[in-house]
Amino acid sequence: MTRTVELTRFRVSPENAERLLAARPGMLADFRADRAGFVGARLVRLPGDEWLDIVEWRTPEDRAASAAKGGNLPGIRAFFELIDELVSAEDGTTEENEG
């Protein structure tokens, strides 16, 4: 099964790192409630106050619809507001062999 994967790399100031982690469950709950096609997400801490958010979507259309909504709900907005700088953003697809 092929899925769309959103890869977003961003910076968060060290003093906001714990707040970012605390805001994550609310963001994910809002995604589950409001974003059709949301499959799941993983947050990776990188060196240099950078983070990589790996978000999986059922289809590219689901990903695009989510992007159009932006930070429309409080949990999503609270997480987004802690991001100091967007480093990069790109989409890809999973390529998995079943069996």
Side-chain angles (χ1 to χ4, degrees), residues 70-90:
N72 66 322
L73 294 176
I76 299 168
R77 189 169 37 257
F79 184 86
F80 286 176
E81 287 175 350
L82 293 167
I83 296 171
D84 293 320
E85 178 186 355
L86 178 65
V87 176
S88 65
E90 59 188 319

Side-chain angles (χ1 to χ4, degrees), residues 27-38:
M27 185 200 101
L28 293 175
D30 282 353
F31 265 50
R32 284 187 208 90
D34 185 60
R35 307 294 166 110
F38 173 71

Side-chain angles (χ1 to χ4, degrees), residues 50-67:
E50 290 188 5
W51 299 77
L52 177 64
D53 204 354
I54 305 167
V55 183
E56 191 172 348
W57 300 96
R58 199 174 46 228
T59 67
E61 294 78 17
D62 292 334
R63 157 68 176 114
S66 174

Side-chain angles (χ1 to χ4, degrees), residues 39-53:
V39 175
R42 297 178 74 178
L43 186 62
V44 180
R45 190 187 300 239
L46 302 169
D49 303 322
E50 290 188 5
W51 299 77
L52 177 64
D53 204 354

